[in-house]
Each structure stands twice: as structure tokens, then as C-alpha cells.
Amino acid sequence: EEGDGVILVTRLQILSGDGSALLASLRSKVNGPIEGAGFGAMVSAQSRALGQLANEIAAALQQLSL
């Protein structure tokens, strides 16, 4: 329904190549409105939420000195 929103809750861990060391940990909760009605509006809201999560992951990766 219009006025509802999407919520994307994520926990991410970045490990070293051999998996022996935790390099970074990220917890994220992204909220976004559904603008409009129907399936397309819901998919668009989910896409925006994923885009925001991708930006958060990219920022976490930039902080690592790999």
C-alpha cells in the first residue's frame, strides 16, 4: 500500500582472503518509503534500499587498507 515502506536489515563481515581475520563488520538498517501503489513501486523502493546499502558497504571497504 502507498505509505508503507521497506526495511532492509543487514549484518556483514569482511574477512581476510584465507578467512582467518575479521577485517570489518557492518550492521545496517535501511528504511525507505514506497512511493506509489503496486508491485513496481515496491520493487523501486527495494532497489533504492539496496543502493543505499551498497553505498554503506563501499564506504566500509574504502576504510580498509587492503
Side-chain angles (χ1 to χ4, degrees):
E1 267 184 45
E2 188 171 357
D4 288 341
V6 298
I7 300 172
L8 176 61
V9 179
T10 308
R11 188 173 90 188
L12 174 76
Q13 294 181 331
I14 301 170
L15 303 174
S16 61
D18 65 2
S20 65
L22 176 64
L23 303 178
S25 182
L26 172 71
R27 289 181 156 230
S28 176
K29 182 176 181 184
V30 178
N31 297 298
I34 297 175
E35 299 169 353
F39 186 73
M42 182 175 53
V43 170
S44 292
Q46 291 170 339
S47 179
R48 287 189 303 274
L50 284 171
Q52 186 174 342
L53 175 63
N55 289 336
E56 292 178 14
I57 293 169
L61 290 172
Q62 286 179 342
Q63 292 179 2
L64 297 177
S65 56
L66 300 175

